[in-house]
């Protein structure tokens, strides 16, 4: 597929970002495009707002999977593009418009000229939340399309165009959202003894849970607890009856994630007694680590040796990705694709360089044929 056509597709997808499991226009766009391809080797099936596409291979001993996530974010775009999002407060700010375009590019080439192996493209909804990888993997449809190996890419704003990067083993951390609600008794600012003040309880709690990272996590393991938002009270001279903390937990190992959650719950029980209040904890969406299969990464590195693009080994990141659920059950890997944007992922000014689209298509196609 020519570069201009990739740019057109990317810009059209960029204009219609939708949130997890609401990707109806996106799904229709993808289906309409797939319909224009030679159909003789294709099987296409919808799964919720996602799609499975199978390309029959020439030999077909194995099935190789390629996963592209398709959802956008609840964000107001500030790129100034003339092809900016037409959906209010929605933006493709994580590069999933790139991921889909690259998948369509590779699919076009394979539909015209199949690989030796069968190939399955998984257009997966809801990566940003509530999480589409886990239910897609568990679906009835997946039984018919299940690949033997699987890989995916993610755009990397900090890497130059023409560079791809990954590493064996742990690539992305374990992540969990964290929402904590405090309920006590409010009252007059001058009568604290008649109240159970949730501003005081929640503030102390924020400071206290940092001790979990410092004192309860193995120093050779690693964890981050960040509270990014606090909400409490109504006005300056009333003691607050409610408080809410919103944050995230990141850990290197799944064991540390379980341990940190357990410690937070213990601290919460203690605070309930000490502050005469009720504390409820909700973990929102949780993502399992992205753990790359060593053997498949080594295969990929060998494939990159004959690629016109450059490869470098990456570092581990404390970001999360629900592709980790697929890698838990199917050997494979994720790699970074350099897109050279000054703004990072999830920023309203993310502007990935479209020259990277062709790099992505070439790399995915080559990997599907040679893995
Ligand atoms: Zn994202
Ligand atoms: Zn993403």
């Amino acid at each position: 597929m020519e570069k201009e056509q990739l740019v057109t597709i990317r810009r059209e997808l960029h204009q219609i970002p939708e949130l997890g499991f609401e990707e109806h226009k996106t799904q229709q766009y993808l289906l309409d495009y797939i319909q224009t391809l030679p159909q003789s080797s294709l099987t296409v099936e919808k799964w919720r707002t996602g799609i499975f596409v199978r390309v029959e291979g020439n030999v077909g001993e194995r099935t190789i999977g390629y996963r592209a996530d398709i959802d956008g974010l609840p964000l107001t775009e500030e790129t100034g593009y003339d092809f900016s999002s037409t959906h209010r407060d929605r933006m493709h700010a994580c590069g999933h418009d790139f991921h889909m375009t690259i998948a369509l590019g590779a699919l076009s080439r394979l539909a015209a000229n199949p690989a030796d192996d069968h190939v399955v493209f998984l257009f997966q909804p809801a990566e940003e939340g509530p999480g589409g990888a886990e239910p897609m993997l568990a679906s009835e449809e997946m039984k018919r399309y299940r690949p033997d190996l699987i890989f995916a890419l993610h755009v990397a704003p900090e890497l130059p165009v023409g560079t791809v990067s990954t590493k064996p083993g742990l690539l992305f951390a374990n992540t969990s959202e964290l929402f904590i609600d405090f309920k006590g008794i409010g009252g007059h600012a001058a009568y604290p003894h008649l109240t159970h003040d949730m501003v005081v309880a929640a503030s102390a709690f924020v400071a206290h849970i940092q001790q979990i990272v410092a004192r309860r996590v193995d120093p050779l393991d690693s964890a981050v607890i960040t509270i990014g938002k606090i909400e409490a009270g109504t006005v300056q001279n009333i003691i607050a009856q409610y408080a809410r903390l919103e944050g995230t937990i990141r850990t290197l190992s799944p064991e540390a994630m379980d341990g940190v959650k357990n410690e937070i719950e213990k601290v919460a029980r203690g605070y309930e007694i000490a502050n005469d209040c009720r504390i409820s904890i909700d973990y929102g969406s949780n993502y399992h680590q992205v753990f790359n299969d060593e053997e498949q990464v080594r295969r990929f590195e060998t494939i990159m040796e004959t690629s016109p693009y450059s490869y470098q080994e990456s570092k581990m990141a404390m970001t999360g990705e629900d592709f980790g659920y697929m890698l838990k059950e199917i050997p494979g890997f994720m790699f970074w694709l350099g897109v050279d944007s000054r703004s990072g992922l999830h920023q309203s000014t993310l502007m990935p360089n479209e020259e990277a689209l062709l790099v992505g298509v070439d790399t995915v196609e080559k990997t599907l044929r040679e893995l």
Side-chain angles (χ1 to χ4, degrees):
M1 194 196 291
E2 294 305 313
K3 205 169 75 184
E4 296 73 50
Q5 200 185 350
L6 291 171
V7 168
T8 302
I9 292 173
R10 183 265 162 157
R11 293 182 178 190
E12 287 173 354
L13 286 167
H14 188 79
Q15 288 180 284
I16 55 165
E18 295 165 295
L19 298 186
F21 293 125
E22 294 173 5
E23 305 96 330
H24 301 287
K25 278 195 211 172
T26 305
Q27 183 188 47
Q28 195 55 52
Y29 182 95
L30 296 169
L31 288 169
D32 288 346
Y33 178 81
I34 294 164
Q35 196 60 47
T36 67
L37 300 174
Q39 298 291 305
S40 57
S41 59
L42 301 190
T43 314
V44 182
E45 192 170 349
K46 287 197 245 182
W47 174 78
R48 296 182 67 174
T49 47
I51 310 168
F52 288 97
V53 185
R54 186 169 181 277
V55 189
E56 184 82 14
N58 295 322
V59 181
E61 277 169 15
R62 302 181 305 173
T63 301
I64 314 294
Y66 177 72
R67 173 274 209 170
D69 41 9
I70 70 170
D71 55 325
L73 284 159
L75 202 68
T76 307
E77 180 162 352
E78 292 179 312
T79 59
Y81 283 148
D82 56 11
F83 56 89
S84 285
S85 169
T86 58
H87 293 175
R88 197 188 158 88
D89 299 332
R90 301 283 182 268
M91 179 184 173
H92 271 301
C94 199
H96 300 183
D97 50 346
F98 266 56
H99 302 171
M100 287 186 272
T101 305
I102 290 165
L104 289 180
L107 173 58
S108 304
R109 291 184 184 176
L110 286 162
N113 176 20
D116 285 344
D117 290 313
H118 303 307
V119 169
V120 167
F121 288 85
L122 298 94
F123 292 93
Q124 182 217 300
E127 190 280 325
E128 302 288 358
E134 213 177 7
M136 194 174 200
L137 192 65
S139 68
E140 273 303 304
E141 290 83 350
M142 188 71 178
K143 289 184 185 138
R144 295 194 286 281
Y145 293 93
R146 193 181 175 92
D148 302 304
L149 301 171
I150 194 163
F151 69 100
L153 65 76
H154 205 291
V155 299
E158 67 285 1
L159 286 178
V161 174
T163 299
V164 303
S165 178
T166 189
K167 70 182 280 294
L170 193 66
L171 186 68
F172 292 178
N174 295 271
T175 73
S176 173
E177 294 177 336
L178 179 61
F179 303 100
I180 307 175
D181 286 293
F182 294 73
K183 188 172 186 298
I185 296 173
H188 195 289
Y191 299 91
H193 57 294
L194 303 179
T195 70
H196 299 304
D197 185 345
M198 293 304 102
V199 162
V200 169
S203 317
F205 193 89
V206 171
H208 194 138
I209 56 176
Q210 292 307 320
Q211 288 182 28
I212 296 170
V213 175
R215 302 285 84 177
R216 302 309 308 157
V217 176
D218 182 340
L220 297 181
D221 207 331
S222 190
V224 177
I225 304 172
T226 292
I227 300 296
K229 184 177 174 186
I230 300 180
E231 246 174 38
T234 49
V235 70
Q236 126 282 349
N237 60 356
I238 297 177
I239 287 173
Q241 182 182 2
Y242 296 103
R244 178 175 169 84
L245 307 177
E246 299 189 4
T248 178
I249 311 168
R250 310 283 161 112
T251 68
L252 277 192
S253 68
E255 294 75 28
M257 178 60 76
D258 292 343
V260 165
K261 287 181 175 175
N262 190 30
E263 293 295 330
I264 290 174
E265 287 158 24
K266 274 162 61 181
V267 174
R269 287 203 296 277
Y271 270 64
E272 282 186 330
I273 295 167
N275 295 279
D276 273 316
C277 64
R278 297 291 308 156
I279 301 176
S280 54
I281 301 176
D282 176 6
Y283 296 114
S285 56
N286 288 255
Y287 287 164
H288 191 264
Q289 64 192 14
V290 172
F291 196 89
N292 284 339
D293 183 86
E294 164 124 31
E295 190 188 327
Q296 299 312 318
V297 170
R298 296 304 174 210
R299 283 285 312 143
F300 181 62
E301 287 170 344
T302 308
I303 291 167
M304 287 308 297
E305 281 170 15
T306 54
S307 161
Y309 308 116
S310 65
Y311 173 83
Q312 66 185 52
E313 187 153 312
S314 62
K315 290 196 189 120
M316 214 271 311
M318 277 287 189
T319 49
E321 239 294 341
D322 78 346
F323 185 57
Y325 287 111
M326 295 203 180
L327 291 183
K328 205 170 144 186
E329 293 194 20
I330 304 169
F333 61 95
M334 175 167 248
F335 69 87
W336 292 109
L337 174 75
V339 294
D340 194 20
S341 165
R342 220 175 311 161
S343 302
L345 300 175
H346 292 206
Q347 291 186 352
S348 59
T349 47
L350 177 77
M351 296 168 87
N353 186 331
E354 289 172 332
E355 298 290 321
L357 292 168
L358 197 60
V359 180
V361 174
D362 288 346
T363 305
V364 169
E365 182 199 10
K366 185 170 163 63
T367 307
L368 287 169
R369 293 189 190 281
E370 298 178 20
L371 195 65

